[in-house]
Amino acid sequence: MSALMSDARPAVSLAPRPLYEEVAELLRQRIFKRELEPGSWIDELKIAEEFGISRTPLREALKVLAAEGLVTMKVRRGAYVTEVSQQDLADIYHLLSLLESDAAGVVATKATEAEIKELQALHKALEAAAKPGKDKAATTDQFFAVNEKFHMRLLEIANNRWRDQMVADLRKVMKLNRHNSLLKTGRIEESLTEHRAIMDALAARDPALTAQRMAEHFANGLTAAE
């Protein structure tokens, strides 16, 4: 028997994704797209019938979303899409500012030239998404998607999985209000200007200035969201 054959191993059989996780993702996207509005009651019977599932995986999915802060469970009343208060927003932006400013400073210090170029490419995509002449809603959706990629890539480069997990959870709740803030007149242009300042500080390899620019970005974002 050849060495190649002797080293052969049986194919690994991966377990399929649990049904409740698939249901959670479907509901999560409906919440982000505001097909399920903040404060609205989630009709379990209707959704279970629509998805062709029993209420057991649906309830498990709702528990996942409740743990993420996207759904609020009320005794004897069922599940509701979470309504984010002004205090909630202030708390979320405060924590995101601390976590992502720290990450930005790390990236300014430790990122390779190739990683900086990745962020520059994402910034160019952000500039393109903000160009005038497009449908406003489409522009907002595209800008939001690219902006999310930029921030998540910066976090990946900073390489702290515990921070990444905290930011991911906070950003899910922030999405309940984020589109509203970007729809405010001039906010996309302001956000773009803030991103340019962040990129300039990164290119200068100035960790303190990069952290400061990121903190300013979140402070202005909170003002727009309120």
Side-chain angles (χ1 to χ4, degrees):
M1 181 179 293
S2 69
L4 179 61
M5 292 182 66
S6 64
D7 287 341
R9 292 180 176 86
V12 176
S13 178
L14 298 175
R17 188 181 188 186
L19 178 58
Y20 76 88
E21 289 186 6
E22 294 183 16
V23 174
E25 180 59 21
L26 288 171
L27 292 175
R28 192 179 291 118
Q29 291 308 315
R30 287 191 179 189
I31 290 170
F32 290 158
K33 292 175 183 176
R34 303 185 78 84
E35 293 172 9
L36 290 171
E37 291 278 352
S40 63
W41 175 60
I42 297 175
D43 188 336
E44 293 183 31
L45 286 174
K46 181 180 178 181
I47 290 176
E49 182 178 352
E50 179 185 347
F51 290 172
I53 59 174
S54 71
R55 293 178 71 181
T56 299
L58 176 57
R59 284 173 175 168
E60 290 300 312
L62 290 173
K63 288 179 184 177
V64 171
L65 298 179
E68 293 175 357
L70 297 177
V71 165
T72 300
M73 309 297 291
K74 299 183 180 181
V75 178
R76 293 188 294 276
R77 293 173 62 188
Y80 291 76
V81 179
T82 298
E83 291 185 276
V84 180
S85 69
Q86 290 300 320
Q87 186 60 52
D88 290 332
L89 275 179
D91 291 344
I92 290 166
Y93 272 82
H94 173 67
L95 290 173
L96 283 173
S97 178
L98 292 174
L99 293 166
E100 295 203 32
S101 294
D102 179 70
V106 171
V107 171
T109 303
K110 297 184 176 180
T112 65
E113 287 303 315
E115 288 169 337
I116 294 294
K117 286 180 179 178
E118 280 186 69
L119 292 172
Q120 288 171 337
L122 285 168
H123 176 73
K124 286 181 181 178
L126 201 62
E127 296 266 9
K131 283 184 178 178
K134 296 180 180 179
D135 172 77
K136 186 172 184 179
T139 297
T140 301
D141 287 344
Q142 187 177 358
F143 188 91
F144 181 85
V146 179
N147 180 68
E148 183 90 351
K149 287 180 182 178
F150 176 89
H151 282 269
M152 298 315 291
R153 182 60 186 133
L154 184 142
L155 286 162
E156 287 173 2
I157 295 169
N159 192 29
N160 182 323
R161 66 190 180 100
W162 302 108
R163 174 172 51 214
D164 293 353
Q165 183 176 325
M166 287 187 284
V167 169
D169 287 343
L170 289 166
R171 279 187 165 272
K172 285 173 186 173
V173 181
M174 186 177 72
K175 283 182 184 180
L176 292 172
N177 188 79
R178 184 62 181 273
H179 273 75
N180 286 348
S181 66
L182 285 177
L183 284 171
K184 290 190 175 180
T185 303
R187 179 53 197 155
I188 285 182
E189 292 77 11
E190 289 173 358
S191 181
L192 200 54
T193 299
E194 292 155 16
H195 269 263
R196 291 183 190 123
I198 292 168
M199 288 308 307
D200 288 345
L202 282 171
R205 297 290 188 166
D206 187 330
L209 183 60
T210 306
Q212 179 185 331
R213 294 292 184 246
M214 185 65 79
E216 290 168 353
H217 179 50
F218 276 97
N220 292 334
L222 175 59
T223 299
E226 289 177 331

